Amino acid sequence: MNILITGCNGQLGNEMQLLEKENPQHTYYNTDVAELDITDQQAIEQFVNEHQIDGIVNCAAYTAVDKAEDNEELCQKLNAEAPAYLAHAVDQRGGWMIQISTDYVFDGTNHTPYTEDEDTCPNSVYGKTKLVGELNVQKLCRRSMIIRTAWLYSSFGNNFVKTMIRLGKEKPQLGVIFDQIGTPTYARDLARVIMVVINKGVQPGVYHFSNEGVISWYDFTKAIHRLANISTCHVNPLHTSEYPTPAARPHYSVLDKTKIKQTYGIEIPYWEESLKECVAELLK
C-alpha cells in the first residue's frame, strides 16, 4: 500500500517512522507542513492522487491546549477542517484513514473509564475542534477509524516526561497537580498498534488507546524522577485550583481499551514498563 503519514515531525510521527523500517512491505510518504500543507484542500487532493495513496494516518494537529483558547481559528483549521480534506480525498480513491484524537473530547466528570460510545462533552477549544475533526472524518471517509489517546509522551518533541526530567535536574522543588487522574501513553506503543491496524485492516469506528493503569500527574512525576535517578528535587502535590490554566483539563480521563484489545487481539503494556523504556532511551 501507499500510505500518507501527516505530522511526521511530531512525537507520534517520529515513532511511526522508526516502525516503518520494520514494515517495509508498504511505501510511506512522511509529510509535515513543508511537504504538504493539510489546510490546503487542493494540495491534498493533488498529493493523494499523484502518489496513489491507499491510506492516511493523520498524526498532525494543533496540540497547544492553552494557546488554542486564543487561537480558535487556526485550531479549527488544523483539527477540524484539515482532517475533513484528508478524509474526502482518500475516500474518493476507496482508501482508508486513521485519525488520532484525544481524551479532551470528554469533560472529565466520570469516575469510571470512558468507553467509545459515551456522550462526548468537550470544554476546551482544543477538545471541541478535535471532536469536530472526528465527526468530519467519519462522515467523509467510509473506511475511517478514530483512535482517541491521552497524556502522550515520547523521546521526540516536547512533552511532560522530558519537561519533568529537565526541571527535576534544574530545580530544588516542583509543584505538580495531584487531582487530575488519567493514563500516560508512550507514543511508540500507539505507533505499534497503528501498524497492527494497517496490517490487519481498518475496522471502522471509534477506539480508545492508552497504556494500562491509572495515575495522577503528581505520581507520574515521582515515577519519572525515580526512573531517571533524580533525587535532589522535592515534588509537592498541587490542587488544580492552585495552578489555573486558560484551558480546562479533564479531572478524570481514563480510557477503556476493551474494544481495541478485542478487535485486534493486542496486549497493552502497563504505563510504568513503557515509561521505563522511554526514560532509558532519553538517558542514553
PDB file of all heavy atoms in Angstrom, residues 134-146:
ATOM      1  N   GLU A 134     -13.124  14.496  14.356  1.00  0.00           N
ATOM      2  CA  GLU A 134     -13.592  13.095  14.397  1.00  0.00           C
ATOM      3  C   GLU A 134     -14.849  12.920  13.552  1.00  0.00           C
ATOM      4  O   GLU A 134     -14.938  12.002  12.725  1.00  0.00           O
ATOM      5  CB  GLU A 134     -13.982  12.712  15.838  1.00  0.00           C
ATOM      6  CG  GLU A 134     -12.861  12.443  16.786  1.00  0.00           C
ATOM      7  CD  GLU A 134     -13.377  11.889  18.127  1.00  0.00           C
ATOM      8  OE1 GLU A 134     -14.538  11.461  18.232  1.00  0.00           O
ATOM      9  OE2 GLU A 134     -12.589  11.887  19.061  1.00  0.00           O
ATOM     10  N   LEU A 135     -15.819  13.807  13.784  1.00  0.00           N
ATOM     11  CA  LEU A 135     -17.123  13.691  13.103  1.00  0.00           C
ATOM     12  C   LEU A 135     -16.967  13.885  11.594  1.00  0.00           C
ATOM     13  O   LEU A 135     -17.583  13.170  10.797  1.00  0.00           O
ATOM     14  CB  LEU A 135     -18.111  14.707  13.683  1.00  0.00           C
ATOM     15  CG  LEU A 135     -18.441  14.521  15.183  1.00  0.00           C
ATOM     16  CD1 LEU A 135     -19.228  15.702  15.725  1.00  0.00           C
ATOM     17  CD2 LEU A 135     -19.200  13.216  15.417  1.00  0.00           C
ATOM     18  N   ASN A 136     -16.108  14.839  11.206  1.00  0.00           N
ATOM     19  CA  ASN A 136     -15.868  15.087   9.778  1.00  0.00           C
ATOM     20  C   ASN A 136     -15.263  13.860   9.098  1.00  0.00           C
ATOM     21  O   ASN A 136     -15.671  13.480   7.999  1.00  0.00           O
ATOM     22  CB  ASN A 136     -14.924  16.285   9.594  1.00  0.00           C
ATOM     23  CG  ASN A 136     -15.615  17.621   9.840  1.00  0.00           C
ATOM     24  OD1 ASN A 136     -16.846  17.690   9.891  1.00  0.00           O
ATOM     25  ND2 ASN A 136     -14.841  18.671  10.016  1.00  0.00           N
ATOM     26  N   VAL A 137     -14.287  13.246   9.755  1.00  0.00           N
ATOM     27  CA  VAL A 137     -13.619  12.074   9.174  1.00  0.00           C
ATOM     28  C   VAL A 137     -14.610  10.920   9.016  1.00  0.00           C
ATOM     29  O   VAL A 137     -14.666  10.264   7.970  1.00  0.00           O
ATOM     30  CB  VAL A 137     -12.403  11.657  10.038  1.00  0.00           C
ATOM     31  CG1 VAL A 137     -11.864  10.293   9.603  1.00  0.00           C
ATOM     32  CG2 VAL A 137     -11.295  12.711   9.936  1.00  0.00           C
ATOM     33  N   GLN A 138     -15.424  10.689  10.035  1.00  0.00           N
ATOM     34  CA  GLN A 138     -16.391   9.585   9.963  1.00  0.00           C
ATOM     35  C   GLN A 138     -17.449   9.817   8.874  1.00  0.00           C
ATOM     36  O   GLN A 138     -17.908   8.881   8.241  1.00  0.00           O
ATOM     37  CB  GLN A 138     -17.057   9.386  11.322  1.00  0.00           C
ATOM     38  CG  GLN A 138     -16.109   8.774  12.345  1.00  0.00           C
ATOM     39  CD  GLN A 138     -16.813   8.508  13.658  1.00  0.00           C
ATOM     40  OE1 GLN A 138     -17.123   9.419  14.408  1.00  0.00           O
ATOM     41  NE2 GLN A 138     -17.081   7.251  13.934  1.00  0.00           N
ATOM     42  N   LYS A 139     -17.785  11.091   8.690  1.00  0.00           N
ATOM     43  CA  LYS A 139     -18.816  11.430   7.700  1.00  0.00           C
ATOM     44  C   LYS A 139     -18.269  11.320   6.271  1.00  0.00           C
ATOM     45  O   LYS A 139     -18.981  10.906   5.356  1.00  0.00           O
ATOM     46  CB  LYS A 139     -19.298  12.868   7.975  1.00  0.00           C
ATOM     47  CG  LYS A 139     -20.501  13.317   7.155  1.00  0.00           C
ATOM     48  CD  LYS A 139     -21.051  14.647   7.663  1.00  0.00           C
ATOM     49  CE  LYS A 139     -20.121  15.797   7.285  1.00  0.00           C
ATOM     50  NZ  LYS A 139     -20.539  17.088   7.884  1.00  0.00           N
ATOM     51  N   LEU A 140     -16.998  11.676   6.090  1.00  0.00           N
ATOM     52  CA  LEU A 140     -16.460  11.812   4.731  1.00  0.00           C
ATOM     53  C   LEU A 140     -15.635  10.617   4.244  1.00  0.00           C
ATOM     54  O   LEU A 140     -15.341  10.507   3.062  1.00  0.00           O
ATOM     55  CB  LEU A 140     -15.609  13.086   4.635  1.00  0.00           C
ATOM     56  CG  LEU A 140     -16.411  14.391   4.795  1.00  0.00           C
ATOM     57  CD1 LEU A 140     -15.481  15.570   5.009  1.00  0.00           C
ATOM     58  CD2 LEU A 140     -17.291  14.632   3.578  1.00  0.00           C
ATOM     59  N   CYS A 141     -15.239   9.727   5.166  1.00  0.00           N
ATOM     60  CA  CYS A 141     -14.471   8.552   4.737  1.00  0.00           C
ATOM     61  C   CYS A 141     -15.124   7.291   5.288  1.00  0.00           C
ATOM     62  O   CYS A 141     -15.180   7.089   6.506  1.00  0.00           O
ATOM     63  CB  CYS A 141     -13.014   8.652   5.218  1.00  0.00           C
ATOM     64  SG  CYS A 141     -12.019   7.229   4.723  1.00  0.00           S
ATOM     65  N   ARG A 142     -15.611   6.453   4.394  1.00  0.00           N
ATOM     66  CA  ARG A 142     -16.351   5.257   4.802  1.00  0.00           C
ATOM     67  C   ARG A 142     -15.474   4.264   5.562  1.00  0.00           C
ATOM     68  O   ARG A 142     -15.944   3.555   6.436  1.00  0.00           O
ATOM     69  CB  ARG A 142     -16.966   4.578   3.567  1.00  0.00           C
ATOM     70  CG  ARG A 142     -18.187   5.322   3.036  1.00  0.00           C
ATOM     71  CD  ARG A 142     -18.460   4.996   1.588  1.00  0.00           C
ATOM     72  NE  ARG A 142     -17.461   5.590   0.704  1.00  0.00           N
ATOM     73  CZ  ARG A 142     -17.539   5.590  -0.621  1.00  0.00           C
ATOM     74  NH1 ARG A 142     -18.569   5.002  -1.218  1.00  0.00           N
ATOM     75  NH2 ARG A 142     -16.608   6.155  -1.356  1.00  0.00           N
ATOM     76  N   ARG A 143     -14.195   4.223   5.222  1.00  0.00           N
ATOM     77  CA  ARG A 143     -13.280   3.283   5.893  1.00  0.00           C
ATOM     78  C   ARG A 143     -12.384   4.054   6.858  1.00  0.00           C
ATOM     79  O   ARG A 143     -11.166   4.103   6.692  1.00  0.00           O
ATOM     80  CB  ARG A 143     -12.434   2.535   4.861  1.00  0.00           C
ATOM     81  CG  ARG A 143     -13.261   1.631   3.930  1.00  0.00           C
ATOM     82  CD  ARG A 143     -12.399   1.110   2.801  1.00  0.00           C
ATOM     83  NE  ARG A 143     -11.332   0.227   3.277  1.00  0.00           N
ATOM     84  CZ  ARG A 143     -10.241  -0.048   2.581  1.00  0.00           C
ATOM     85  NH1 ARG A 143     -10.036   0.498   1.390  1.00  0.00           N
ATOM     86  NH2 ARG A 143      -9.317  -0.857   3.077  1.00  0.00           N
ATOM     87  N   SER A 144     -13.013   4.677   7.856  1.00  0.00           N
ATOM     88  CA  SER A 144     -12.224   5.504   8.772  1.00  0.00           C
ATOM     89  C   SER A 144     -12.263   4.971  10.193  1.00  0.00           C
ATOM     90  O   SER A 144     -13.241   4.372  10.623  1.00  0.00           O
ATOM     91  CB  SER A 144     -12.718   6.949   8.756  1.00  0.00           C
ATOM     92  OG  SER A 144     -14.051   7.014   9.233  1.00  0.00           O
ATOM     93  N   MET A 145     -11.160   5.223  10.900  1.00  0.00           N
ATOM     94  CA  MET A 145     -11.006   4.773  12.278  1.00  0.00           C
ATOM     95  C   MET A 145     -10.499   5.953  13.108  1.00  0.00           C
ATOM     96  O   MET A 145      -9.539   6.620  12.720  1.00  0.00           O
ATOM     97  CB  MET A 145      -9.987   3.636  12.310  1.00  0.00           C
ATOM     98  CG  MET A 145      -9.734   3.057  13.668  1.00  0.00           C
ATOM     99  SD  MET A 145      -8.710   1.565  13.441  1.00  0.00           S
ATOM    100  CE  MET A 145      -8.481   1.082  15.130  1.00  0.00           C
ATOM    101  N   ILE A 146     -11.172   6.210  14.217  1.00  0.00           N
ATOM    102  CA  ILE A 146     -10.740   7.257  15.139  1.00  0.00           C
ATOM    103  C   ILE A 146     -10.055   6.569  16.312  1.00  0.00           C
ATOM    104  O   ILE A 146     -10.623   5.656  16.912  1.00  0.00           O
ATOM    105  CB  ILE A 146     -11.945   8.072  15.687  1.00  0.00           C
ATOM    106  CG1 ILE A 146     -12.881   8.529  14.568  1.00  0.00           C
ATOM    107  CG2 ILE A 146     -11.472   9.217  16.574  1.00  0.00           C
ATOM    108  CD1 ILE A 146     -12.300   9.468  13.563  1.00  0.00           C
TER     109      ILE A 146
END
